[in-house]
């Protein structure tokens, strides 16, 4: 896991808390090297985009 204050305090970040649970869990499980909210936003937006219906490799929505 990343050893920086931003990554350690994700649970207190309002943007992180506003994300869908599947995005939060994916970010926590993959432990990206998050150094800033800009990094968090970029990763979250990519995860959400990949999960859109019709995308190859995305998370299916039922």
């Amino acid at each position: 896991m990343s050893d920086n204050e931003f990554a350690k305090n994700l649970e207190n970040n309002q943007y992180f808390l506003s994300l869908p649970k599947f995005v939060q869990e994916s970010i926590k499980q993959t432990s990206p090297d998050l150094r800033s909210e800009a990094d968090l936003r970029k990763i979250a937006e990519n995860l959400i985009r990949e999960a859109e219906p019709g995308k190859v490799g995305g998370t299916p929505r039922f």
Side-chain angles (χ1 to χ4, degrees):
M1 180 156 176
S2 179
D3 187 28
N4 67 62
E5 289 302 310
F6 186 82
K8 289 179 183 177
N9 293 309
L10 278 179
E11 298 292 334
N12 296 320
N13 182 285
Q14 288 299 326
Y15 178 73
F16 179 78
L17 295 173
S18 74
L19 294 169
K21 292 293 181 195
F22 82 91
V23 175
Q24 291 180 20
E25 288 303 315
S26 181
I27 289 171
K28 288 191 288 189
Q29 289 175 10
T30 58
S31 302
D33 189 22
L34 297 173
R35 297 278 175 198
S36 67
E37 187 157 328
D39 290 345
L40 173 61
R41 287 178 181 270
K42 186 183 304 182
I43 292 167
E45 288 168 6
N46 286 338
L47 288 168
I48 291 168
R49 190 175 311 113
E50 289 175 5
E52 290 176 355
K55 294 279 184 173
V56 174
T59 303
R61 294 188 183 186
F62 299 98

